[in-house]
Amino acid sequence: MKSFIGSLALLTLVSCGKNTEEFLYNEHHRDWQLVQARAAKDCKENSKIFKAFKHRSDFSKYFNQESYYKVKVVKENGAKYNDFIKVQINGKSNMTISYFDTDRESESLSVEFTASLNNALVAAISNGVCDHRKTFQYGHSDLDRSDYLNFSDVRKEGDDSNYKQVTDDFKAVVSYPLALIYWNRSIKTYNKSSGSSETNTYSIEAFSKEKCASDAKCKQTDWRFGSAQMIVDPQAHDSQDLDSVIMELN
Amino acid sequence: MRTLPILCMSLFTFSASAAGFLDFRDESFRKEDLKEKKWIFNMGVDYMQYPTSLPAYDGTHANIKNEENYNIFGVNLGVGREFALGAGISTTLKTGGFYNKSFERNVGKASEDIDMDLANIRTDHMVYGGEASASLNYLVENKVLNFQPFLEFGLGAGVADVEKEYTFEGIEADRSDAEKYNVSAQEGFNYTKTSLGVNFISQQGVVSYIKATRMLMDVNQREIAGAINGEAQDSKEENLDENKEILSGSVGFGFLF
């Protein structure tokens, strides 16, 4: 009896509701561009991950006065080594990022990173991630996470039979200054005509001052290097040119 | 259409559970009692197409008509007494009630590639009421299962609550094309009904039934509240004389005691 009444009640509950889903627009609809723009706006304004990065433009509130990071470098030629980064907070909206290139392949440098650069970088990333035009959209991980974001900027030059493609896979970690994505990425270059490809990978992890002091290479540096300028292009996603990158150091 | 699976599942479930069900009834029910006067209790599931009256609205992604049929499901209960008239013919006087509640939700996503909810349509129905009925039955006896076709007439009164909400977020940058329809309606009605059905009665007095019903509703009162794009739609109509026809189907079980 109980099982029967239970079955009947369940049957009634199951049968009394209907949930459906439909797609309202497609690329042939006259309002398609409006829909894309609306979706992009919603994505930029409401995604948790972008809100988190924007909040962290108040550097002194969210980051330690002084912090260290280790950059693991793996190059296509087989070279593997660690570089180091020191971040010094100079106030609410300014920080100095010092990059110590232990391999000495390139110059160690010091970069000023500001709150406005932080916001420009958030805009550059969100413009690419939230662009719903297939050619220009960055591949990305879940935007409703508030701890990290993986995104891919794929650029391509040439025709289908002879092209060069660069794939930049970035990892932006919310607890690190956003500028550090410059050294938390994998860059893959593929040349169709020669069939050759090259991948160089940089990955960051937090490192303490004490660990730096006990690391043979990290402790060598006095962290005073030649200065470089960070340039952010919020519209970089809008072009497939190989040079159209979201950030550069000059 | 979910009606057919519901009918099949109910009958299947019934047969699977009949043995346990007997624990609750009078074990002294005898074969001869089938032809005597006896009490009857039944419950079942209903399906009806309810004609819903709401203010019409033609939106970008919703077209709400002034009157539209919705599929509604629910349960019914009845208790009564059957009187034998002789030669397998009997009549049953019964009182009972029904409670139907259904909802429909439709989410309009931007597109296959863009995971953004742009429109939502929600329709909730709750229809309930009580009735008295009389039926004329004819018992066809068999060794295992008896059949009892019946013709039932009933009178009743009920209330229908309907809520309809439609929102469209808009695609213009300033959201100037956003739409919102949020209206609820309550209507009271009296009805007469005619049903045609069959009872399947076991030798132990366990009954399952299936029946089709035609209800003639007389809606006597309707109150509407809510707004369409900010414009109030509140109204109250009394002493209405609006007629509607409803077709419904029921399956269920019961027992004689």
Side-chain angles (χ1 to χ4, degrees), chain A residues 13-38:
Chain A
L13 287 173
V14 168
S15 61
C16 72
K18 189 168 84 173
N19 286 300
T20 53
E21 205 175 88
E22 65 178 318
F23 299 116
L24 303 176
Y25 298 91
N26 59 39
E27 64 269 28
H28 305 299
H29 196 282
R30 62 189 158 87
D31 291 333
W32 181 237
Q33 286 188 333
L34 281 175
V35 174
Q36 286 184 315
R38 167 78 173 74

Side-chain angles (χ1 to χ4, degrees), chain A residues 114-153:
Chain A
T114 61
S116 60
L117 275 175
N118 182 79
N119 291 337
L121 198 46
V122 174
I125 297 168
S126 60
N127 284 344
V129 165
C130 298
D131 191 327
H132 291 285
R133 295 172 298 172
K134 282 178 185 167
T135 313
F136 300 105
Q137 186 179 33
Y138 294 171
H140 59 86
S141 58
D142 185 2
L143 302 179
D144 277 331
R145 292 189 70 105
S146 48
D147 50 356
Y148 74 87
L149 171 71
N150 289 320
F151 65 97
S152 299
D153 174 13

Side-chain angles (χ1 to χ4, degrees), chain A residues 1-5 7-9 11-27 29 31-32 34-43 45-46 132 134, chain B residues 2 6 9-10 13-14 17 20-21 24 43 45 60-61 73-75 101-114 116 118-119 168-173 175 253:
Chain A
M1 176 68 173
K2 284 176 188 168
S3 62
F4 176 62
I5 291 181
S7 307
L8 202 61
L11 183 66
T12 306
L13 287 173
V14 168
S15 61
C16 72
K18 189 168 84 173
N19 286 300
T20 53
E21 205 175 88
E22 65 178 318
F23 299 116
L24 303 176
Y25 298 91
N26 59 39
E27 64 269 28
H29 196 282
D31 291 333
W32 181 237
L34 281 175
V35 174
Q36 286 184 315
R38 167 78 173 74
K41 187 169 182 278
D42 186 69
C43 167
E45 289 175 359
N46 299 324
H132 291 285
K134 282 178 185 167
Chain B
R2 295 179 176 188
I6 288 169
M9 284 176 69
S10 294
T13 312
F14 169 73
S17 307
F21 167 74
F24 285 77
M43 66 182 291
V45 290
T60 308
H61 297 293
F73 299 90
V75 293
K101 187 169 172 61
S102 294
F103 68 86
E104 284 184 22
R105 305 270 188 281
N106 181 271
V107 177
K109 293 198 166 287
S111 76
E112 230 166 324
D113 300 329
I114 301 175
M116 179 175 63
L118 277 179
F168 172 52
E169 300 291 335
I171 51 174
E172 298 284 351
R175 309 270 177 100
F253 76 100

Side-chain angles (χ1 to χ4, degrees), chain A residues 1 6 12 14 19 21 33 48 54 60 71 78 82 87 113 116 132-133 136 148 161 168 188 217 236 248:
Chain A
M1 176 68 173
T12 306
V14 168
N19 286 300
E21 205 175 88
Q33 286 188 333
K48 276 187 188 171
K54 279 178 198 163
S60 51
V71 184
N82 296 328
V87 175
F113 187 63
S116 60
H132 291 285
R133 295 172 298 172
F136 300 105
Y148 74 87
S161 59
D168 248 325
K188 182 178 181 182
K217 288 203 169 175
E248 277 183 301

Side-chain angles (χ1 to χ4, degrees), chain B residues 21-22 25 29-30 34 146 200-207 254-257:
Chain B
F21 167 74
L22 292 177
R25 57 175 301 278
F29 188 87
R30 296 163 298 138
L34 276 174
N146 303 298
F200 303 93
I201 308 170
S202 76
Q203 302 300 341
Q204 293 79 28
V206 179
V207 182
F255 57 92
L256 307 171
F257 57 100

Side-chain angles (χ1 to χ4, degrees), chain B residues 173-193:
Chain B
D174 59 359
R175 309 270 177 100
S176 56
D177 56 336
E179 297 168 347
K180 188 170 178 66
Y181 178 107
N182 189 1
V183 174
S184 62
Q186 185 182 71
E187 54 189 28
F189 57 86
N190 299 319
Y191 66 90
T192 58
K193 71 169 195 179

